[in-house]
Amino acid sequence: MIRIIRNLLKQLGFTDIDEASDGTEAFDKMQERKYGLVISDWNMEPMTGYELLKKVRAENSISKTPFIMVTAESKTENVIAAKKAGVNNYIVKPFNAQTLKGKIDAVFASE
């Protein structure tokens, strides 16, 4: 999934792309460097994307970082939980570059 999202972002013209294999690694990287956007899969181990989202929103220095959640689950309760936790947008797999672009554009249009 990381490779797919990286390739879609490159198609859309993004060049400064970093990656993490799980939420713990992502959170650690966010402590060291400022990111303009996080795109996280919900299903990661040991720290899920949802847990990462909650941790990011609770950390003052990075709490305003735009966050898009990617998931194979379109369960209403997951979408509601992510919204309550402060997600900026939500993408259900499978998706293409245009869908990703639309979600990114929507996040930055609302700032």
Side-chain angles (χ1 to χ4, degrees), residues 15-35:
T15 54
D16 187 9
I17 304 166
D18 204 351
E19 61 189 55
S21 57
D22 65 66
T24 305
E25 183 184 343
F27 188 78
D28 291 346
K29 285 184 172 196
M30 291 180 75
Q31 299 286 16
E32 297 165 13
R33 180 178 174 207
K34 182 165 175 37
Y35 290 91

Side-chain angles (χ1 to χ4, degrees), residues 25-71:
E25 183 184 343
F27 188 78
D28 291 346
K29 285 184 172 196
M30 291 180 75
Q31 299 286 16
E32 297 165 13
R33 180 178 174 207
K34 182 165 175 37
Y35 290 91
L37 174 66
V38 172
I39 299 173
S40 174
D41 200 316
W42 184 294
N43 298 310
M44 297 185 292
E45 294 290 333
M47 184 193 292
T48 67
Y50 177 65
E51 291 165 335
L52 172 63
L53 171 63
K54 291 195 301 186
K55 201 165 177 179
V56 166
R57 291 298 181 245
E59 183 70 35
N60 278 340
S61 62
I62 56 176
S63 66
K64 301 286 188 232
T65 306
F67 200 109
I68 296 175
M69 186 73 72
V70 176
T71 183

Side-chain angles (χ1 to χ4, degrees), residues 67-70 83 86-91 102-104 106-107:
F67 200 109
I68 296 175
M69 186 73 72
V70 176
K83 286 282 186 197
V87 79
N88 296 90
N89 221 319
Y90 200 88
I91 303 176
K103 298 290 186 173
I104 293 170
V107 165

Side-chain angles (χ1 to χ4, degrees), residues 3 49 94:
R3 191 171 38 85

